[in-house]
Amino acid sequence: MKPFLLHAHTKPISWIKFNREGDLIFVASKDALVTVWHTHNGELLGSYQHSGAVTCLDVDDSTTRLITACADQNAYLWDIQTGKLICQYSQSTPVRSIQFAEGGNLFLCVTDASYKNTPSIQIYSIPKELYESNKPCEKKQIARLKIEQDVKITHAVWGPLNETIICGCVDGSIRQYDSTSGQCLGKSEDHHKDIIKIALSKDKMLLISASLDNTAKLYETKTLELLKTYKSNEPVNTAAISPYKNHIVLAGGIAAQDVTLSLGKSTYFNSKFFHKVFENKLGEVRGHFGPIHILAFTPDGHGFASGGEDGYVRLHYFDKDVLEMNDGPDGPMD
Amino acid sequence: MDLSNVIAVDNLPITNKVEKLEVVLKQLFKLKAEANCIVLQMPQEDDGKTKGFAFCEFETAKMADKVIKELQGHVLSKSNKLYIVPFTEFDKYTNAKETEFKETPLVPLKEREFLRGWLQDEQARDQFLVRHYDTVGFFWNDVLNKPQLAHRHEKMSDSRVIWSPYGSYAVTWHDKGLGFWGGDKMTTQFSLRHQNVRLVDFSPRESFCITMNENVEDNVHVFDLLTQKKRATFTAPHGIAKSSFDGGGKWPFFKWSHDDKYMARLGNPNEADPRAPNYQDQLRDLANSLFIYDMTDPNVPLFNKKPLRIEGLREFAWMPSTGNKSPVLAYVAASDSDTTPSRVALLELPRNKEIRTQPFFKAINVKLVWSDTGDYLAVLVDREVTIKNQKTEHTTVEVFIMNQKGIPVEKIEFDDKIYEFKWEPKGKRFSAIHGDAHSALKRHLSFYELKNNNKGVCLKKFENKTIDKTFWSPRGINCVVANMRSASVPLEFYDVDDVEMVGLGEHFGMTNAQWDPTGRYFCSYVSAHFRSQENGYILWTFLGTKIDQTTFDKMYEFEWRPRPPTLLTGADLKKIQGKLPQLRKEYEKERSAAQQKVSQEVLKDRRRKWDEFQNIIKRLNDEYEQMKNKLVELRGYRDEDLVSVKVEMVEEVVSREEELVEE
């Protein structure tokens, strides 16, 4: 399976996202650019210029609106087709992550702490007129709800039916909040180092967390009950659940600033595949020259994309024998 | 009456040759103390035999004093150590009151735990230990079931863990000294006190333990492991303990003879007194002296009471013989002048006799390598040669064949420099990594064998490899060659009977490696002493097949538990070897049965996990189905409405052309 190499970025890739149909892939990078590509041939379709490093993005289900989180202390709403900026949401600290709720009427964004502000998750609603017309909106947008806490939040996602918000924190905890009242509903403390990202399965019933403690863990989303643990031998930056097979993919690597501390560090950074149920490693996919920051399966699960420190996005499609592999209990052991 | 010129001599031999004894004694007094004996009285029994003592009168009291001084404790013969009493003190002894003999209470016998229980394992598995953080795990190397945990101790050691040479004890490091663990449950057996101990070494037969800390003086202690008492204290240059945890190549400070009877060391320049006027002489003496200690004596005296003087002494090595021969020591004595050669000599103890010596001319470096059976001693001689106006180094290997009369020497010339030389354990072969001194990349790997006519024959030379280390299997025949400088260490598995590479592996970041005591498995590992990442180990078979890979965060040591030498005689071993074909069938049967059981258990376990997980998934799916209506409401579309994107390949014939191809 020869991958498509999407190379337009000059700085590390921070986020990738397939649209719902899987025909387009959106890439955010620290070089202040968001690009969009055709997935079937790896051709560049367009880009959205920002004024600071882009940390996260999301696309709505109808592929009309794009939201991006930027280190210039703003969140942005774009029209995908024309590439026009529609709305700007000013914050007082860099925005770490962003996500549309089901239906696309709401989105959340995570902001960092500064000496005046506590780490927070903010929920904005997008009025209908911002979908209907491409006119830039000058009106200052005000958050509908602000959830504040004392520990730095690295990533937050919407739970099933937009009822909850789940976030990962630097103390290794995963916390769940009510999305209307902002009340804390529970937390899990199975990881002992920073959680970098969390990802949900396609039906949002399962959650996987990626942590610097060299593991990824699988949870039941509603109860935050720990189901499985996948052990790597290096920090895990990102993990994803396959929508097609009983597979998990995770990746990471030593952070760039620590590379010099470890002797003769490897030149390979691999995406590692695990069996979802048996927790054993199935294989690795080589390719990146730096730590991998983000992984995503295509919506049909027939392929996946990885983005790394080296500025490349690698778009892989699985071979037939991988797709037809027996992933039940009688399947191959390794 | 003045009796100060009279003495009594006790412990004389009991004999009837009275006159002869008198002559001997008188001569002894004359010779050793210049004393003239005027009267010598030797009481006799009725049968004419002496009673074993004598009274002697001398010309002056001074003479009597001198006799006492010089001859007190003189060894006349093996069982006759003289004991002399001046007559003036005679009253004191006759009037001495007999004090009541008090019996010292018996210390109740403390039963020692059986330390070799692990050897009685039914499947004859080997053990290994792994330390990660401060936890030590002891595992059985079970090839079918993956390593099985036998014992686990948290906070077991402050810095390191090693095995004693026969595997009886696991030794742990603590502030106050060393802990010794063993027995069925791997519990503390005893400890040896030595504040801030850094380095440890054992005598080859596990009778003594030598420890060293960073103190400037009295930093080396020698313990008897049976009594756990300190035998002696020495001073070694304290930089050894400070440099690094392997002593910077200068540890062990003492080298042991194979039978634990002697230990020896080179002179330590710190022993010279810089304030003394003859400081330079002292230094020279120390540099040219070999200190051999007699460990059979509880006081650990120097062999022959003085250091052995060897001009130009550079290096020495004991013969690691396993036979019942006397200890033999080989040493290198270098010479600075062009006319006198450097030499390598073999010294046999306790006769203190040089049994063989061989001169070397123009050597710039001489190294000694014993084969572990003690049958061969290889002397690697580096010489400088000039080729095309360029100076380079060549190595000659001279092999002393110890098991033949006269100890013949076989010379094997290399036309480049040897970087690593290793004997095949229990064999007649050796491996050498050699190459041009100017190129670090092109190294050759050669295997040599000493044929029956003592000729050294090159079996095969593998050219132009980047390698730097050889690991021989403890049973010989197999060896692994690695390039430890590479980030991802390639491992080449060789079979030296067929002289070919049988397997190839790779271990990222490998820092250490060790064969198991049976020579069937090879472990390569990444120690946290040298690398902070990717700590863990890989177990290989001798054919280079990976059988287990485990990662341990902050894993420092992986150590196979050594086995003591076999108690079977050569004949017993032959008998067992004869039965091998039959035994093999039985073993294979057992093994396949066990294998089947394991794979069935694994399958069962997988089914159980699968079923458990499917239950959860089923529940979640039900919940999802219930949510679905709400979800559709929220989203405004159904999943089923999704337009699927299909990519169709269409082939279209643009044009067609025909061309004749000439044959």
Side-chain angles (χ1 to χ4, degrees):
Chain A
M1 57 179 202
K2 202 164 181 276
F4 289 123
L5 274 178
L6 314 185
H7 187 212
H9 292 284
T10 52
K11 280 191 177 171
I13 306 298
S14 52
W15 211 268
I16 51 185
K17 168 86 185 171
F18 289 96
N19 67 340
R20 192 180 61 135
E21 288 81 3
D23 61 333
L24 297 177
I25 180 171
F26 292 81
V27 180
S29 160
K30 290 193 175 161
D31 64 0
L33 202 63
V34 170
T35 49
V36 54
W37 310 72
H38 282 295
T39 53
H40 70 276
N41 57 7
E43 271 173 21
L44 183 63
L45 187 62
S47 67
Y48 309 86
Q49 182 66 50
H50 291 66
S51 55
V54 187
T55 54
C56 185
L57 62 81
D58 198 11
V59 186
D60 78 320
D61 283 346
S62 56
T63 320
T64 50
R65 290 291 178 265
L66 166 77
I67 43 172
T68 55
C70 188
D72 67 0
Q73 309 190 348
N74 284 309
Y76 298 100
L77 180 72
W78 306 78
D79 177 54
I80 288 176
Q81 205 169 358
T82 59
K84 273 187 189 156
L85 181 65
I86 294 174
C87 192
Q88 180 175 340
Y89 301 83
S90 305
Q91 309 293 338
S92 42
T93 54
V95 187
R96 284 210 146 240
S97 92
I98 199 157
Q99 195 190 29
F100 275 117
E102 299 278 12
N105 303 325
L106 297 170
F107 74 88
L108 64 78
C109 64
V110 173
T111 54
D112 267 347
S114 70
Y115 79 103
K116 262 186 194 166
N117 304 287
T118 50
S120 66
I121 304 169
Q122 304 187 34
I123 301 172
Y124 288 91
S125 60
I126 305 171
K128 264 213 172 103
E129 54 266 30
L130 290 188
Y131 268 96
E132 279 159 3
S133 81
N134 280 350
K135 259 191 217 148
C137 169
E138 301 291 336
K139 218 166 75 187
K140 187 169 163 53
Q141 302 290 326
I142 293 162
R144 190 169 140 167
L145 178 69
K146 196 171 179 184
I147 301 168
E148 291 177 311
Q149 67 172 48
D150 47 356
V151 182
K152 188 169 161 183
I153 305 164
T154 50
H155 187 205
V157 293
W158 291 92
L161 295 178
N162 299 346
E163 281 165 0
T164 56
I165 288 169
I166 302 143
C167 67
C169 311
V170 290
D171 62 352
S173 65
I174 300 172
R175 303 173 192 216
Q176 193 165 34
Y177 291 97
D178 187 302
S179 63
T180 44
S181 66
Q183 201 185 354
C184 185
L185 299 174
K187 77 179 183 179
S188 100
E189 288 176 316
D190 301 302
H191 285 288
H192 63 265
K193 276 190 185 165
D194 311 27
I195 289 179
I196 302 298
K197 280 181 191 72
I198 49 185
L200 299 180
S201 62
K202 202 175 184 188
D203 60 8
K204 292 206 174 187
M205 300 310 282
L206 292 172
L207 175 150
I208 192 163
S209 57
S211 164
L212 291 188
D213 68 2
N214 295 6
T215 63
K217 289 177 194 280
L218 188 72
Y219 293 89
E220 195 182 318
T221 315
K222 278 193 173 169
T223 57
L224 287 186
E225 189 190 312
L226 180 63
L227 300 176
K228 300 284 171 189
T229 300
Y230 312 97
K231 285 180 194 152
S232 176
N233 49 6
E234 51 189 14
V236 182
N237 288 340
T238 173
I241 304 168
S242 167
Y244 187 69
K245 288 262 148 189
N246 280 310
H247 293 166
I248 295 291
V249 65
L250 57 86
I254 315 295
Q257 67 263 33
D258 296 335
V259 168
T260 49
L261 300 177
S262 60
L263 229 148
K265 181 54 210 161
S266 79
T267 46
Y268 307 115
F269 291 83
N270 304 347
S271 305
K272 295 166 184 163
F273 281 81
F274 287 77
H275 197 283
K276 186 160 79 179
V277 183
F278 309 129
E279 301 167 314
N280 60 329
K281 190 153 91 177
L282 299 166
E284 296 193 7
V285 176
R286 268 189 184 181
H288 284 281
F289 296 105
I292 296 169
H293 291 308
I294 178 78
L295 286 166
F297 276 103
T298 58
D300 58 4
H302 289 216
F304 79 103
S306 57
E309 185 80 16
D310 55 4
Y312 279 90
V313 173
R314 301 174 73 88
L315 180 58
H316 298 261
Y317 287 100
F318 296 122
D319 288 341
K320 208 175 160 195
D321 52 341
V322 175
L323 292 175
E324 286 172 4
M325 164 183 169
N326 180 357
D327 58 355
D330 313 321
M333 304 256 178
D334 297 305
Chain B
M1 193 168 86
D2 183 20
L3 289 172
S4 57
N5 59 341
V6 183
I7 58 166
V9 183
D10 202 359
N11 264 353
L12 289 172
I14 292 168
T15 171
N16 44 16
K17 293 176 188 159
V18 183
E19 273 141 45
K20 198 176 175 193
L21 186 59
E22 274 178 14
V23 174
V24 168
L25 278 177
K26 278 186 179 169
Q27 267 183 352
L28 190 69
F29 295 143
K30 182 88 194 158
L31 221 67
K32 292 271 177 178
E34 295 157 3
N36 292 326
C37 182
I38 352 174
V39 184
L40 188 87
Q41 281 287 339
M42 223 180 294
Q44 280 159 292
E45 301 276 3
D46 295 341
D47 59 357
K49 277 194 177 170
T50 59
K51 283 190 170 181
F53 58 90
F55 301 104
C56 317
E57 188 182 341
F58 295 96
E59 281 176 356
T60 61
K62 227 178 177 175
M63 283 180 184
D65 280 349
K66 199 162 182 201
V67 168
I68 296 171
K69 207 174 138 200
E70 293 291 326
L71 290 169
Q72 185 69 278
H74 180 82
V75 182
L76 204 61
S77 72
K78 223 175 186 179
S79 53
N80 300 101
K81 199 172 162 190
L82 296 189
Y83 184 65
I84 306 173
V85 181
F87 226 77
T88 43
E89 285 179 22
F90 223 70
D91 287 345
K92 197 176 98 189
Y93 289 106
T94 45
N95 295 337
K97 272 194 198 130
E98 252 182 60
T99 47
E100 211 175 309
F101 172 67
K102 253 195 229 154
E103 208 170 332
T104 43
L106 271 177
V107 184
L109 178 71
K110 216 173 113 193
E111 197 81 35
R112 278 213 306 164
E113 220 180 308
F114 184 54
L115 294 170
R116 293 189 175 169
W118 96 97
L119 293 171
Q120 295 171 334
D121 180 55
E122 270 184 12
Q123 297 162 53
R125 296 173 295 182
D126 275 291
Q127 277 195 346
F128 62 81
L129 66 76
V130 168
R131 179 170 74 92
H132 59 112
Y133 293 104
D134 55 0
T135 303
V136 183
F138 297 87
F139 294 88
W140 292 106
N141 177 26
D142 197 320
V143 182
L144 288 178
N145 298 313
K146 301 222 157 177
Q148 301 279 308
L149 188 69
H151 317 282
R152 185 167 181 270
H153 291 290
E154 278 175 22
K155 300 200 170 74
M156 186 168 168
S157 178
D158 292 349
S159 66
R160 293 172 60 199
V161 192
I162 58 166
W163 291 106
S164 62
Y166 283 178
S168 311
Y169 306 103
V171 184
T172 54
W173 266 245
H174 306 277
D175 282 352
K176 285 183 179 163
L178 298 171
F180 285 73
W181 307 66
D184 284 344
K185 300 225 160 62
M186 213 20 106
T187 46
T188 324
Q189 301 295 320
F190 58 87
S191 56
L192 298 180
R193 283 185 78 87
H194 193 179
Q195 196 72 32
N196 294 327
V197 57
R198 289 292 303 271
L199 299 167
V200 173
D201 186 39
F202 288 92
S203 67
R205 293 196 179 170
E206 218 179 76
S207 337
F208 300 98
C209 173
I210 301 191
T211 59
M212 179 170 185
N213 67 6
E214 288 181 19
N215 289 358
V216 177
E217 276 186 351
D218 294 341
N219 44 21
V220 175
H221 292 185
V222 180
F223 292 93
D224 186 322
L225 274 182
L226 269 182
T227 59
Q228 291 120 42
K229 294 251 162 61
K230 199 195 310 177
R231 271 284 188 88
T233 305
F234 297 95
T235 303
H238 68 288
I240 293 179
K242 276 194 171 159
S243 57
S244 67
F245 75 95
D246 60 352
K250 287 188 176 157
W251 184 259
F253 187 59
F254 288 97
K255 291 182 186 168
W256 290 87
S257 68
H258 73 279
D259 52 5
D260 284 10
K261 277 188 185 155
Y262 300 99
M263 63 175 194
R265 65 173 174 94
L266 299 172
N268 169 11
N270 293 11
E271 280 167 304
D273 181 4
R275 282 160 300 183
N278 61 345
Y279 178 56
Q280 291 304 326
D281 292 343
Q282 281 189 17
L283 276 185
R284 199 177 317 121
D285 283 349
L286 283 167
N288 294 323
S289 297
L290 182 65
F291 294 75
I292 306 176
Y293 297 89
D294 184 353
M295 297 307 289
T296 49
D297 188 316
N299 297 323
V300 192
L302 272 169
F303 176 72
N304 269 354
K305 293 189 181 142
K306 57 175 191 286
L308 195 65
R309 174 119 186 151
I310 300 166
E311 286 306 326
L313 177 66
R314 288 289 151 84
E315 195 196 334
F316 72 97
W318 291 95
M319 170 165 154
S321 149
T322 46
N324 290 324
K325 295 173 223 153
S326 310
V328 172
L329 179 148
Y331 64 82
V332 181
S335 149
D336 295 331
S337 78
D338 279 348
T339 46
T340 48
S342 308
R343 66 195 177 98
V344 167
L346 295 168
L347 184 75
E348 192 187 304
L349 292 182
R351 286 197 299 160
N352 196 6
K353 192 184 164 209
E354 264 181 24
I355 51 174
R356 184 77 161 84
T357 170
Q358 176 87 353
F360 296 97
F361 285 95
K362 289 181 181 164
I364 55 171
N365 197 8
V366 179
K367 225 169 107 190
L368 303 172
V369 189
W370 283 98
S371 74
D372 77 334
T373 51
D375 287 342
Y376 305 106
L377 167 68
V379 181
L380 310 185
V381 189
D382 291 345
R383 291 194 178 89
E384 208 167 53
V385 284
T386 311
I387 297 172
K388 292 178 192 161
N389 291 331
Q390 201 177 17
K391 275 189 180 170
T392 179
E393 281 177 34
H394 284 186
T395 308
T396 309
V397 180
E398 305 207 8
V399 181
F400 287 61
I401 295 155
M402 300 296 294
N403 51 8
Q404 276 175 35
K405 218 179 156 192
I407 313 178
V409 173
E410 162 72 7
K411 217 182 227 183
I412 303 162
E413 301 257 5
F414 279 77
D415 55 8
D416 42 21
K417 186 177 156 81
I418 293 186
Y419 289 89
E420 198 208 36
F421 178 96
K422 277 199 179 156
W423 283 103
E424 175 187 26
K426 300 182 171 39
K428 295 173 152 192
R429 293 176 285 216
F430 65 80
S431 66
I433 294 176
H434 54 106
D436 184 8
H438 295 290
S439 154
L441 289 172
K442 282 184 186 168
R443 295 273 187 268
H444 316 303
L445 172 69
S446 292
F447 292 104
Y448 278 77
E449 180 169 349
L450 287 161
K451 298 284 186 195
N452 287 336
N453 58 1
N454 297 342
K455 277 271 160 289
V457 178
C458 181
L459 297 174
K460 203 163 185 180
K461 183 174 170 188
F462 297 88
E463 292 195 6
N464 298 342
K465 303 182 88 73
T466 32
I467 46 174
D468 65 351
K469 213 161 163 82
T470 323
F471 299 90
W472 275 97
S473 147
R475 289 291 162 113
I477 302 173
N478 295 100
C479 83
V480 177
V481 182
N483 177 23
M484 306 287 282
R485 286 166 303 193
S486 154
S488 196
V489 178
L491 299 167
E492 295 172 357
F493 293 77
Y494 287 89
D495 180 324
V496 186
D497 275 354
D498 300 337
V499 214
E500 61 178 15
M501 203 202 288
V502 287
L504 193 64
E506 194 176 357
H507 190 172
F508 184 80
M510 174 188 131
T511 59
N512 300 65
Q514 209 180 30
W515 280 91
D516 88 322
T518 64
R520 290 176 298 170
Y521 305 107
F522 180 75
C523 168
S524 59
Y525 65 99
V526 185
S527 161
H529 283 304
F530 308 103
R531 277 183 72 96
S532 55
Q533 304 293 331
E534 276 116 76
N535 299 142
Y537 65 83
I538 300 180
L539 286 180
W540 313 81
T541 65
F542 65 97
L543 292 171
T545 326
K546 210 187 269 187
I547 46 174
D548 185 32
Q549 178 162 21
T550 308
T551 53
F552 271 111
D553 215 13
K554 288 274 165 295
M555 183 188 98
Y556 288 92
E557 283 110 17
F558 178 104
E559 299 268 344
W560 289 102
R561 190 171 195 171
R563 283 170 177 259
T566 175
L567 300 172
L568 298 173
T569 60
D572 287 341
L573 282 174
K574 277 228 170 80
K575 224 162 120 191
I576 294 174
Q577 273 167 2
K579 271 199 269 175
L580 257 185
Q582 193 200 331
L583 283 174
R584 177 183 283 165
K585 267 183 201 157
E586 283 172 35
Y587 285 146
E588 266 169 15
K589 222 165 142 188
E590 271 175 41
R591 194 188 147 93
S592 70
Q595 209 157 14
Q596 218 162 17
K597 205 176 143 203
V598 168
S599 56
Q600 261 167 10
E601 263 167 32
V602 169
L603 197 63
K604 221 168 115 188
D605 187 51
R606 281 172 68 123
R607 287 229 169 89
R608 186 184 52 78
K609 277 188 182 164
W610 178 261
D611 291 344
E612 273 173 23
F613 198 78
Q614 288 312 312
N615 284 340
I616 298 173
I617 294 294
K618 198 165 169 284
R619 198 186 75 227
L620 294 177
N621 275 343
D622 290 348
E623 281 177 32
Y624 182 66
E625 287 301 322
Q626 283 171 19
M627 279 172 20
K628 221 164 180 183
N629 285 334
K630 277 191 189 169
L631 195 62
V632 170
E633 209 174 291
L634 263 178
R635 283 181 176 167
Y637 67 90
R638 282 169 184 281
D639 259 356
E640 293 80 49
D641 300 342
L642 196 79
V643 193
S644 68
V645 181
K646 253 189 195 160
V647 182
E648 262 178 52
M649 298 289 281
V650 182
E651 251 177 64
E652 209 174 293
V653 181
V654 182
S655 70
R656 192 175 289 221
E657 233 173 77
E658 264 182 45
E659 204 175 292
L660 266 176
V661 183
E662 280 177 43
E663 287 197 28

